[in-house]
Structure formats: structure tokens, C-alpha cells
């Protein structure tokens, strides 16, 4: 296991395990490219927070919508132009039986899409709001880390 | 929506939305009682982190296993007896179509089960390790907050 060498916390669902096969960045991006439901983790005003969001992948960034004045939208604003908070994002496809599946972990800056030009281009990604109501703030996570693991049944890593 | 009053960040998948029905704590506990896969979020040595874990509910606490000397196990140790880090935990059952389903959000202290007596009682919960390999550290999340939302199709909250 190459991961045990660097003490990565992303070596498996909880720690380094021989049964988890590390996924290359390109494979991670391929797996998450259909979009869907991911979990956004960040430090909110009330501490560590993790919430499901509906996302799309657009130019290798994670795009999701939130309300412009929503608590999440506000908590992710530093108030300093060009400065973004670092957030974590997780997407998985796992079954408890086996266990079997994969997960992808992303860290990056939570960039607010504020300019009309960027907004127009990002909207091409077809990011749909999850619920009805006003969701006019687009946020892009610009990844600085993309990693993932594939977990096979009976403790074995599996291929495609 | 009572949630918009207190500016809760947990009012919906990403912010306050009229389509999400708030779930009572008892209902949250009922929904997550079968155990399964949840997502653990915390601040690790490399920043915000969110990872899938296999959990069980035991006496209204979330129990999972990790390696005693694993990065996750170590990152969650304060080094001060009786002092625990605050972590977040999310469990959901959601489909992107609709959207429909529910999610539960928990915050609490990440308590390391170190005494033999506590370990023996917690092991009754039948917490299975996700992968083969050594996973001899039990961690319990002692909730200080349990909340959740049910999301209905067509922007409506749904009942059972």
C-alpha cells in the first residue's frame, strides 16, 4: 500500500486498508462525471458541517446551487475578494454488503460565481436546484486535491 | 418554515427551502437505526475532510471502527483525557430524481472507546469493520445535535 507511506487519511473509508485500491485522478473524474448527490463538508458558524447537495461536474470543478442569502451561501463567503474557504466534497457509490463500490474525495476552494460571464458559462452544466425556491447562488469547488478508492468484496480491490 | 427563523444551516440540502420538512430527533434516530453507511466530517491534518464509514447506532450514539494508529484514529485524538474533538456525521437516503428522500445530520464529540468495559458493551452493537485488516479502535459520536429533513417530490414535503 503506497498510502500507508504518506499517512494519507484518504486510504480507505476510515484509514489505511489493504482492501482499498487507490483511484487515479482521471478515474475519479470519470466516476463523478454524471453528477448527482455529493456531500459538502465545511466549518459553519456552528462547527463541522456536512450536507448533501446536488452537483454537476463542469470543467473539472464541482458546481452546485444555494440561496444567495442562505446560511450555507453566507458561511462560505470570506468577505474578502478573491479569497475562498477550503471545503471538502465526497461522492460515493457504496453498498454495505460486500462491502463494494467506490468513493471520491475532493478538497478545494469554494468559489462563488458572481460575474455574469462565469455564471452564464457555468449554467451550461445544467446544475439543477434540488428543491423549489430561490437558489440563485452558484458555487464552484475548484479542486486542489482529487483522490478516491475502490473497495472490493471480501477485502479485495476490484477492477472495472 | 421555522428554520428560516433561526438561520439554521440544516434547513435543507443546501440552505433553507420550503420543500424540506424538518424531522424530529426521534424520527431521525428511527431512520438511522438500521445502521449502514454514513459520512464522517472533521478537520484533519490536511483540512476539511469527509469520508464514508460503516456505522451502527448504539444507545443513541454513532459507533464506527477505525485502526488504532490510523490517520483518522489519530486525527480524532486530542491527547487530553476526557476531551474530544467535535465532528459531524451525515446519513441520507436520497434519490436525485424527484428529488425525494431524507437526510440526518449529527454533531457531537468523537469519543474513543478505550476502556475494556465500554468496549465490551459497545461491541454488542455489532459494528463490523468495512474492510479486512486491523480495525481495533472503536469511536463513538456522542450527539449534541441531531436534526434532519425529509424532501418530497415536486418540491413538497412528504409524510411516511
Amino acid at each position: 500500500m503506497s498510502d500507508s507511506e504518506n499517512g494519507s487519511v484518504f486510504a480507505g473509508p476510515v484509514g489505511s486498508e489493504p482492501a482499498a485500491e487507490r483511484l487515479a485522478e482521471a478515474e475519479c473524474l470519470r466516476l463523478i462525471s454524471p453528477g448527482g448527490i455529493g456531500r459538502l463538508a465545511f466549518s459553519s458558524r456552528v462547527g463541522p458541517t456536512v450536507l448533501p447537495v446536488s452537483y454537476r461536474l463542469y470543467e473539472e470543478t464541482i458546481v452546485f446551487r444555494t440561496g444567495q442569502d442562505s446560511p450555507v451561501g453566507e458561511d462560505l463567503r470570506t468577505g474578502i475578494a478573491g479569497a475562498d474557504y477550503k471545503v471538502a466534497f465526497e461522492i460515493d457509490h457504496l453498498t454495505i454488503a460486500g462491502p463494494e463500490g467506490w468513493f471520491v474525495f475532493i478538497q478545494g476552494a469554494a468559489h462563488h460565481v458572481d460575474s455574469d460571464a462565469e455564471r452564464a458559462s457555468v449554467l451550461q452544466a445544467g446544475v439543477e436546484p434540488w428543491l423549489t425556491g430561490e437558489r440563485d447562488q452558484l458555487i464552484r469547488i475548484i479542486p486542489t486535491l482529487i483522490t478516491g478508492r475502490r473497495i472490493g468484496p471480501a477485502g479485495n480491490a476490484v477492477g472495472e
Side-chain angles (χ1 to χ4, degrees), chain A residues 7-160:
Chain A
S8 167
V9 295
F10 312 115
V14 276
S16 295
E17 286 298 330
E21 173 205 10
R22 185 173 183 159
L23 299 174
E25 185 176 312
E27 176 67 356
C28 291
L29 288 168
R30 190 187 70 79
L31 287 166
I32 68 172
S33 61
I37 297 165
R39 285 87 191 175
L40 172 72
F42 62 103
S43 287
S44 78
R45 65 191 78 176
V46 292
T49 300
V50 49
L51 291 171
V53 302
S54 172
Y55 79 96
R56 288 290 180 277
L57 193 67
Y58 176 71
E59 292 184 351
E60 301 193 356
T61 65
I62 298 288
V63 183
F64 62 93
R65 284 177 110 132
T66 186
Q68 198 156 31
D69 302 316
S70 73
V72 169
E74 286 182 5
D75 277 356
L76 293 178
R77 250 185 215 283
T78 60
I80 301 163
D84 297 316
Y85 281 119
K86 191 176 181 181
V87 299
F89 198 72
E90 187 259 3
I91 310 105
D92 63 49
H93 192 273
L94 294 163
T95 53
I96 194 75
E100 196 167 355
W102 54 264
F103 74 92
V104 168
F105 175 82
I106 289 170
Q107 274 185 334
H111 167 67
H112 284 64
V113 178
D114 290 330
S115 83
D116 289 343
E118 184 180 9
R119 183 177 167 82
S121 73
V122 168
L123 279 175
Q124 296 171 9
V127 189
E128 293 152 30
W130 244 50
L131 302 170
T132 55
E134 280 188 58
R135 293 197 162 273
D136 48 6
Q137 180 64 58
L138 288 170
I139 295 180
R140 292 174 82 172
I141 302 173
I142 318 286
T144 49
L145 171 72
I146 302 176
T147 187
R149 296 293 181 279
R150 184 184 297 277
I151 300 145
N156 295 312
V158 291
E160 279 293 293

